[in-house]
Coordinates of all heavy atoms in Angstrom, one line a residue:
V1 N 105.3 109.9 97.7 CA 104.6 109.1 98.6 C 105.0 107.6 98.5 O 105.1 106.9 99.5 CB 103.1 109.2 98.4 CG1 102.3 108.3 99.3 CG2 102.6 110.7 98.7
I2 N 105.2 107.2 97.2 CA 105.7 105.8 97.0 C 107.0 105.6 97.7 O 107.3 104.6 98.3 CB 105.8 105.5 95.5 CG1 104.4 105.5 94.9 CG2 106.5 104.2 95.3 CD1 104.4 105.3 93.4
R3 N 107.9 106.6 97.6 CA 109.2 106.6 98.2 C 109.1 106.4 99.7 O 109.9 105.6 100.3 CB 110.0 107.8 97.9 CG 111.5 107.8 98.3 CD 112.2 109.1 98.2 NE 111.7 109.9 97.0 CZ 112.1 109.8 95.8 NH1 113.1 108.9 95.5 NH2 111.7 110.5 94.8
E4 N 108.1 107.0 100.3 CA 107.9 106.9 101.8 C 107.2 105.6 102.2 O 107.3 105.2 103.3 CB 107.1 108.1 102.3 CG 107.7 109.4 102.1 CD 108.9 109.7 103.1 OE1 109.0 108.9 104.0 OE2 109.6 110.7 102.9
G5 N 106.5 105.0 101.2 CA 105.8 103.7 101.5 C 104.3 103.9 101.8 O 103.7 102.9 102.1
G6 N 103.8 105.1 101.6 CA 102.4 105.3 101.8 C 102.1 106.6 102.4 O 103.0 107.4 102.8
I7 N 100.8 107.0 102.4 CA 100.4 108.3 102.9 C 100.7 108.5 104.4 O 101.2 109.5 104.9 CB 98.9 108.5 102.7 CG1 98.6 108.6 101.2 CG2 98.4 109.8 103.4 CD1 97.1 108.6 100.8
E8 N 100.4 107.5 105.2 CA 100.6 107.6 106.7 C 102.1 107.7 106.9 O 102.5 108.6 107.8 CB 100.1 106.3 107.4 CG 100.3 106.4 108.9 CD 99.7 105.2 109.6 OE1 99.0 104.4 109.0 OE2 99.8 105.1 110.9
A9 N 103.0 107.0 106.3 CA 104.4 107.1 106.4 C 104.9 108.5 106.0 O 105.8 109.1 106.6 CB 105.1 106.0 105.7
A10 N 104.3 109.0 104.9 CA 104.7 110.3 104.4 C 104.3 111.4 105.4 O 105.0 112.5 105.5 CB 104.1 110.6 103.1
V11 N 103.2 111.2 106.1 CA 102.7 112.2 107.1 C 103.7 112.1 108.3 O 104.2 113.1 108.9 CB 101.3 111.9 107.6 CG1 101.0 112.7 108.9 CG2 100.3 112.2 106.5
E12 N 104.0 110.9 108.8 CA 104.9 110.7 109.9 C 106.3 111.3 109.7 O 107.0 111.8 110.6 CB 105.0 109.2 110.3 CG 103.7 108.7 110.8 CD 103.7 107.2 111.1 OE1 104.7 106.6 110.7 OE2 102.7 106.7 111.7
S13 N 106.8 111.2 108.4 CA 108.1 111.7 108.1 C 108.2 113.2 107.9 O 109.3 113.8 107.8 CB 108.6 111.0 106.8 OG 107.9 111.5 105.7
G14 N 107.0 113.8 107.8 CA 106.9 115.3 107.5 C 106.9 115.6 106.1 O 106.9 116.8 105.7
T15 N 106.9 114.6 105.2 CA 106.7 114.9 103.8 C 105.4 115.6 103.5 O 105.3 116.5 102.6 CB 106.9 113.6 102.9 OG1 108.2 113.1 103.2 CG2 106.8 113.9 101.4
I16 N 104.3 115.1 104.1 CA 103.0 115.7 104.0 C 102.7 116.4 105.3 O 102.8 115.8 106.4 CB 101.9 114.6 103.7 CG1 102.2 113.9 102.4 CG2 100.5 115.3 103.6 CD1 101.3 112.7 102.2
E17 N 102.4 117.7 105.2 CA 102.2 118.5 106.4 C 100.9 119.2 106.6 O 100.6 119.8 107.6 CB 103.3 119.6 106.5 CG 104.7 119.1 106.6 CD 105.8 120.1 106.7 OE1 105.6 121.2 106.0 OE2 106.8 120.0 107.4
S18 N 100.0 119.0 105.6 CA 98.7 119.6 105.6 C 97.7 119.0 104.6 O 98.2 118.2 103.8 CB 98.8 121.1 105.3 OG 99.1 121.3 104.0
G19 N 96.5 119.3 104.7 CA 95.5 118.8 103.8 C 94.5 117.8 104.3 O 94.6 117.4 105.5
V20 N 93.6 117.3 103.5 CA 92.6 116.4 103.9 C 93.2 115.1 104.3 O 92.8 114.5 105.3 CB 91.6 116.2 102.7 CG1 90.5 115.2 103.1 CG2 91.0 117.5 102.3
M21 N 94.1 114.5 103.5 CA 94.7 113.2 103.8 C 95.5 113.3 105.1 O 95.5 112.4 105.9 CB 95.5 112.7 102.6 CG 94.8 112.5 101.3 SD 93.2 111.7 101.4 CE 93.6 110.1 102.1
Y22 N 96.2 114.4 105.2 CA 97.0 114.7 106.5 C 96.1 114.6 107.7 O 96.4 114.0 108.7 CB 97.7 116.0 106.4 CG 98.4 116.5 107.7 CD1 99.7 116.1 108.0 CD2 97.7 117.3 108.6 CE1 100.3 116.5 109.1 CE2 98.3 117.7 109.8 CZ 99.6 117.3 110.0 OH 100.2 117.7 111.2
E23 N 94.9 115.3 107.6 CA 94.0 115.3 108.8 C 93.4 113.9 109.0 O 93.1 113.6 110.1 CB 92.9 116.4 108.5 CG 93.4 117.8 108.4 CD 94.1 118.3 109.7 OE1 93.9 117.7 110.8 OE2 94.7 119.4 109.6
C24 N 93.1 113.2 107.9 CA 92.6 111.8 108.1 C 93.6 111.0 108.9 O 93.2 110.2 109.8 CB 92.3 111.2 106.7 SG 90.9 111.8 105.9
V25 N 94.9 111.1 108.6 CA 95.9 110.3 109.2 C 96.1 110.7 110.7 O 96.1 109.9 111.6 CB 97.2 110.3 108.5 CG1 98.4 109.7 109.3 CG2 97.1 109.7 107.1
T26 N 96.3 112.0 110.9 CA 96.6 112.5 112.2 C 95.4 112.5 113.2 O 95.6 112.4 114.4 CB 97.1 114.0 112.2 OG1 96.1 114.8 111.5 CG2 98.4 114.1 111.4
N27 N 94.2 112.4 112.7 CA 93.0 112.4 113.5 C 92.3 111.0 113.5 O 91.2 110.9 113.9 CB 92.0 113.5 113.1 CG 92.5 114.8 113.4 OD1 92.6 115.3 114.6 ND2 93.0 115.5 112.4
D28 N 93.0 110.0 112.9 CA 92.5 108.6 112.8 C 91.1 108.6 112.2 O 90.2 107.9 112.7 CB 92.4 108.0 114.2 CG 92.3 106.5 114.2 OD1 92.8 105.9 113.2 OD2 91.8 105.9 115.2
R29 N 90.9 109.3 111.0 CA 89.7 109.2 110.3 C 89.9 108.2 109.1 O 90.7 108.4 108.2 CB 89.3 110.5 109.7 CG 89.4 111.7 110.6 CD 88.2 111.8 111.5 NE 88.2 113.0 112.3 CZ 88.2 113.1 113.6 NH1 88.1 112.0 114.3 NH2 88.2 114.3 114.2
P30 N 89.2 107.0 109.1 CA 89.5 106.0 108.1 C 89.1 106.5 106.7 O 88.2 107.3 106.5 CB 88.6 104.9 108.5 CG 87.6 105.5 109.4 CD 88.2 106.6 110.1
F31 N 89.9 106.1 105.7 CA 89.6 106.5 104.3 C 89.8 105.3 103.4 O 90.5 104.4 103.7 CB 90.5 107.7 103.9 CG 92.0 107.4 103.9 CD1 92.6 106.7 102.8 CD2 92.8 107.7 105.0 CE1 94.0 106.5 102.9 CE2 94.1 107.4 105.1 CZ 94.7 106.8 104.0
V32 N 89.0 105.3 102.3 CA 89.1 104.3 101.3 C 89.4 105.0 100.0 O 88.6 105.9 99.6 CB 87.8 103.5 101.1 CG1 87.8 102.6 99.9 CG2 87.6 102.7 102.4
L33 N 90.5 104.7 99.3 CA 90.8 105.2 98.0 C 90.6 104.1 97.0 O 91.4 103.1 97.0 CB 92.2 105.7 97.9 CG 92.6 106.8 98.9 CD1 94.1 107.2 98.8 CD2 91.7 108.0 98.8
A34 N 89.6 104.2 96.2 CA 89.3 103.1 95.2 C 89.9 103.5 93.8 O 89.6 104.6 93.3 CB 87.8 102.9 95.1
G35 N 90.6 102.6 93.3 CA 91.3 102.9 92.0 C 90.5 102.7 90.8 O 89.4 102.2 90.8
S36 N 91.0 103.2 89.6 CA 90.4 103.0 88.4 C 91.4 102.8 87.3 O 92.6 103.0 87.5 CB 89.5 104.2 88.0 OG 90.3 105.3 87.7
I37 N 91.0 102.4 86.1 CA 92.0 102.1 85.0 C 92.8 103.3 84.6 O 93.8 103.2 84.0 CB 91.2 101.5 83.8 CG1 92.1 100.8 82.9 CG2 90.3 102.5 83.1 CD1 92.8 99.5 83.4
R38 N 92.3 104.5 84.9 CA 92.9 105.7 84.4 C 93.9 106.4 85.4 O 94.4 107.4 85.2 CB 91.8 106.8 84.0 CG 91.0 107.3 85.2 CD 89.8 108.1 84.7 NE 89.1 108.6 85.8 CZ 88.2 108.0 86.5 NH1 87.9 106.7 86.2 NH2 87.5 108.6 87.5
D39 N 94.1 105.7 86.5 CA 94.9 106.3 87.6 C 96.4 106.4 87.3 O 97.0 105.4 86.7 CB 94.8 105.5 88.9 CG 93.4 105.7 89.6 OD1 92.8 106.8 89.4 OD2 93.0 104.9 90.4
D40 N 97.0 107.5 87.6 CA 98.4 107.7 87.5 C 99.0 107.1 88.8 O 98.5 107.3 89.9 CB 98.8 109.1 87.4 CG 98.5 109.7 86.0 OD1 98.7 109.0 85.1 OD2 98.1 110.9 86.0
G41 N 100.1 106.4 88.7 CA 100.8 105.9 89.9 C 100.5 104.4 90.1 O 101.1 103.5 89.5
P42 N 99.4 104.1 90.8 CA 98.7 104.9 91.8 C 99.4 105.0 93.1 O 100.5 104.4 93.3 CB 97.4 104.2 91.9 CG 97.7 102.8 91.8 CD 98.8 102.7 90.8
L43 N 98.9 105.8 94.0 CA 99.4 105.8 95.4 C 99.4 104.4 96.0 O 98.5 103.6 95.7 CB 98.6 106.8 96.3 CG 98.6 108.3 95.9 CD1 97.6 109.0 96.6 CD2 100.0 108.8 96.2
P44 N 100.3 104.1 96.9 CA 100.3 102.8 97.6 C 99.0 102.5 98.3 O 98.6 101.3 98.5 CB 101.5 102.9 98.5 CG 102.4 103.9 98.0 CD 101.5 104.9 97.3
D45 N 98.3 103.5 98.8 CA 97.1 103.3 99.6 C 95.9 103.1 98.7 O 94.8 102.7 99.2 CB 96.8 104.6 100.4 CG 98.0 104.9 101.3 OD1 98.9 105.5 100.9 OD2 97.9 104.6 102.5
T46 N 96.0 103.3 97.4 CA 94.8 103.1 96.5 C 94.6 101.6 96.3 O 95.5 100.8 95.9 CB 95.1 103.8 95.1 OG1 95.3 105.2 95.4 CG2 93.9 103.6 94.2

């Protein structure tokens, strides 16, 4: 996902093809990912 630049970009490129985050992006459902000190990565959207 970092390589693609974010979740939306990963959906548009076909890297992500299913799941909750995929449906949020493709159906324009807004999401908030709040980070914490224990996060791996984290994702660019966090």
Side-chain angles (χ1 to χ4, degrees):
V1 176
I2 293 175
R3 191 190 322 277
E4 295 287 351
I7 294 173
E8 183 175 354
V11 169
E12 291 174 352
S13 71
T15 300
I16 301 173
E17 297 182 325
S18 69
V20 181
M21 303 312 300
Y22 172 86
E23 297 297 346
C24 284
V25 171
T26 57
N27 293 283
D28 198 24
R29 315 280 190 236
F31 60 86
V32 171
L33 303 179
S36 72
I37 196 69
R38 65 189 184 280
D39 285 337
D40 289 323
L43 294 167
D45 304 80
T46 300

